[in-house]
Amino acid sequence: MDNFKKNWEIQHNWQLIFPVLGLLILGYCAYILADILVGKINLFLVIIASIVIYSLLLKFILFSFKKLERKWILQYRWEMIRVFIVFSITGSSSVFIGKPIMAFIGITKDNLNPAVYWILYIFVGLLFYQFMLVFFGWLFGQFKFFWEFEKKILNRIGFKKLLDK
């Protein structure tokens, strides 16, 4: 455990919640993916597939940590996990919030061309994603990181004049 704490630069025991939460979220994602892929066949296969997907996702995420560690400026390594958790919660939330908002403004699959509906759905999801990213970043104590990240995104899509004011 001391080696784990040293590797992730964890100074206090409460900071262990982020690696544990990250592993639990990763396990849940692996299970959902396995259930989608082989769920109708057999529970044993879902468990085996979950373990395989979990190990592949874990390797990918650890590889991503190494690549992004140089790019993202964070004080401690364990904060990378917190940033990844914020991205995952924000992405999932923006998908869930899109449908009720589309329904609220009166846009459904039934009253619009499916291609136009999905383009609008993605647009609404991306729009709310920007706001929720900063909100969840603030909620998880990473407001400064996500505000700078958001400014880069807005800069790239042409809102530089808005940010300069």
Side-chain angles (χ1 to χ4, degrees):
M1 183 60 105
D2 289 334
N3 193 24
F4 181 82
K5 284 181 170 182
K6 183 180 173 187
N7 185 38
W8 286 97
E9 299 174 346
I10 294 175
Q11 295 83 26
H12 307 287
N13 285 337
W14 68 267
Q15 295 166 341
L16 286 169
I17 193 165
F18 295 106
V20 169
L21 189 58
L23 291 172
L24 289 173
I25 290 170
L26 188 65
Y28 177 71
C29 291
Y31 172 76
I32 294 297
L33 287 172
D35 192 46
I36 289 169
L37 294 173
V38 294
K40 305 294 182 223
I41 299 171
N42 170 331
L43 180 62
F44 180 72
L45 286 175
V46 171
I47 293 170
I48 298 298
S50 296
I51 293 168
V52 170
I53 292 170
Y54 182 86
S55 64
L56 291 172
L57 287 175
L58 185 60
K59 286 180 188 236
F60 173 73
I61 288 172
L62 292 174
F63 172 77
S64 299
F65 279 1
K66 287 179 184 173
K67 294 292 181 190
L68 292 171
E69 193 171 28
R70 290 173 281 210
K71 188 174 183 178
W72 291 348
I73 300 168
L74 296 166
Q75 193 170 3
Y76 301 107
R77 289 187 80 207
W78 64 268
E79 290 178 314
M80 294 279 293
I81 300 168
R82 191 160 59 172
V83 167
F84 269 61
I85 290 171
V86 169
F87 277 123
S88 68
I89 291 172
T90 304
S92 301
S93 300
S94 68
V95 170
F96 289 121
I97 202 167
K99 255 187 193 162
I101 289 172
M102 297 280 285
F104 178 74
I105 57 178
I107 299 172
T108 64
K109 292 179 195 175
D110 299 330
N111 66 5
L112 198 61
N113 181 322
V116 175
Y117 172 82
W118 285 109
I119 290 169
L120 285 172
Y121 181 73
I122 291 168
F123 178 76
V124 167
L126 287 173
L127 182 67
F128 279 91
Y129 181 85
Q130 307 309 315
F131 293 108
M132 291 188 301
L133 190 62
V134 175
F135 171 74
F136 284 120
W138 168 78
L139 199 62
F140 277 80
Q142 290 295 121
F143 176 80
K144 183 180 177 190
F145 174 83
F146 283 102
W147 180 241
E148 293 301 318
F149 188 85
E150 194 59 43
K151 286 196 288 188
K152 286 180 190 175
I153 290 173
L154 292 174
N155 239 350
R156 289 180 184 153
I157 59 175
F159 290 103
K160 185 172 175 67
K161 291 181 183 178
L162 181 68
L163 294 171
D164 290 339
K165 292 180 182 181

